Amino acid sequence: MRKFDWDDLQAFLAVVRTGRLTVAARKLGVDHSTLSRRIAGLEQAIGATLFDRRAAGYALTAEGERLVPDAEAMENLAICIRSRQDDAAQGLTGSVRIGTPEAWGTYFLAPELKELARLHPELEVELVANPRMFSLSKREADIAVSMTRPEQGRLIARRLNDYELGIYAARSYLAEHGEVAGRSQLTQHRWVGYIEDLMWSSELDYLGEISASLAPHIRISNVISQVQAVAAGVGLGVLPCFLARREPELVRVLPDEIRLTRSYWLLTHADARDLVRVQAVADFIFSRLAARGGDFWRDTA
């Protein structure tokens, strides 16, 4: 029986996570024929077919499904060994992928990357700022920022910060439709909100928290686009204050009556606790939040 090596398992996991041979090969820095040989060699060594080769991509067989947790366990061990071998005096090396909500990643973390690069010039940082949940167990990210604290899984959660949200409208919208004098008038206005089946967190259901009678007339999948729509006078919207105050056209509606609060959480996988570079980036994020101060997340600076 042919023996397999760690490269074979790395190839296997890369195809599992991308679903396509060409994409996996590009991530590993090899050509697709080399990657195909590694997969075939692994299947020969194990004596089982691991993938169904389809036109739409590679799908795991039952044997392939059973191999995934064992391959990931070996991957975690290899990562920890490499991490302990890093010479701290030479600075951090390797890569760290950070998955965040689009607003937090865009308006807080992206500008801070300059300082992170200065502190650790050899470190490769990938920022994925998308409105979605990131699976740390599937290695979609090394660090994730979430709006909810996970209730299960081998994850370590630390609260990053709380932030305030309020109802906002454009000055032009209020000039055309009139001021909102009380909560009872909210149903008389057009609303901008999320596409329900694309809400990646239940924490985004702001309108339901204000009133069961409210429903968006204009639905947008991400908050940055919602801010621009509300600022253009499309309608009222519930927006994070730290974003809304960047738009001079926006006015807060019923600020004394309606205040919502949400939290961001920083998540790392338990298997990453020994990874120096992951912990260093997490600590950097917390230190920069402390330096910016809580006013960044409230209604006024």
Side-chain angles (χ1 to χ4, degrees):
M1 179 179 292
R2 177 187 181 275
K3 294 182 179 180
F4 66 86
D5 59 24
W6 171 230
D7 286 342
D8 295 335
L9 286 176
Q10 282 185 304
F12 168 73
L13 288 174
V15 177
V16 169
R17 291 162 182 166
T18 62
R20 290 187 173 275
L21 193 70
T22 53
V23 178
R26 190 159 56 246
K27 288 190 66 175
L28 292 176
V30 300
D31 60 71
H32 72 279
S33 59
T34 298
L35 186 57
S36 179
R37 286 195 299 271
R38 288 181 182 173
I39 296 298
L42 181 59
E43 290 178 325
Q44 182 182 355
I46 292 176
T49 301
L50 301 175
F51 294 102
D52 286 329
R53 278 76 165 170
R54 302 172 182 173
Y58 277 45
L60 282 168
T61 63
E63 289 292 335
E65 292 278 4
R66 282 192 285 269
L67 181 59
V68 170
D70 292 334
E72 288 187 333
M74 292 184 66
E75 179 186 50
N76 292 335
L77 180 59
I79 290 172
C80 290
I81 291 172
R82 285 198 301 267
S83 173
R84 286 193 292 267
Q85 291 175 337
D86 283 344
D87 182 359
Q90 297 301 315
L92 297 180
T93 60
S95 66
V96 176
R97 175 174 290 186
I98 311 166
T100 76
E102 74 279 17
W104 194 93
T106 300
Y107 292 101
F108 170 71
L109 187 54
E112 299 295 340
L113 295 181
K114 177 182 179 181
E115 177 64 10
L116 182 60
R118 185 190 69 79
L119 292 172
H120 306 294
E122 299 302 317
L123 188 67
E124 297 177 10
V125 177
E126 298 179 352
L127 172 59
V128 184
N130 284 338
R132 53 167 291 200
M133 296 291 288
F134 294 87
S135 173
L136 300 186
S137 62
K138 294 181 179 178
R139 305 298 177 189
E140 292 179 347
D142 300 298
I143 295 172
V145 174
S146 172
M147 293 180 65
T148 57
R149 181 173 188 169
E151 299 297 329
Q152 57 187 8
R154 300 182 62 243
L155 301 177
I156 299 171
R158 299 165 65 188
R159 186 192 293 271
L160 277 170
N161 61 272
D162 299 329
Y163 63 101
E164 188 176 319
L165 304 99
I167 298 175
Y168 286 87
R171 300 178 193 278
S172 60
Y173 178 90
L174 295 176
E176 180 179 353
H177 298 277
E179 299 289 333
V180 182
R183 185 186 288 260
S184 62
Q185 296 182 358
L186 293 177
T187 56
Q188 302 171 18
H189 291 271
R190 187 168 59 239
W191 284 84
V192 175
Y194 281 95
I195 302 171
E196 187 172 359
D197 62 340
L198 294 182
M199 282 189 188
W200 58 274
S201 171
S202 60
E203 296 294 320
L204 298 173
D205 187 15
Y206 308 129
L207 297 188
E209 188 171 329
I210 295 171
S211 171
S213 302
L214 295 179
H217 302 78
I218 306 296
R219 303 173 190 270
I220 300 176
S221 63
N222 71 85
V223 68
I224 293 177
S225 297
Q226 287 182 28
V227 170
Q228 295 306 309
V230 175
V234 173
L236 303 183
V238 178
L239 305 174
C241 298
F242 72 88
L243 292 185
R245 75 184 202 209
R246 294 170 173 268
E247 300 292 333
E249 175 65 12
L250 288 178
V251 176
R252 189 162 179 180
V253 175
L254 305 179
D256 296 326
E257 291 186 49
I258 299 175
R259 292 176 176 270
L260 284 69
T261 302
R262 293 293 189 269
S263 301
Y264 285 123
W265 295 83
L266 185 140
L267 311 180
T268 54
H269 199 276
D271 291 333
R273 62 183 178 272
D274 293 329
L275 293 182
V276 177
R277 62 181 180 275
V278 172
Q279 293 306 315
V281 173
D283 291 343
F284 169 82
I285 290 172
F286 276 95
S287 69
R288 296 310 298 166
L289 274 171
R292 294 290 291 270
D295 284 341
F296 179 78
W297 306 102
R298 289 196 285 268
D299 188 18
T300 58

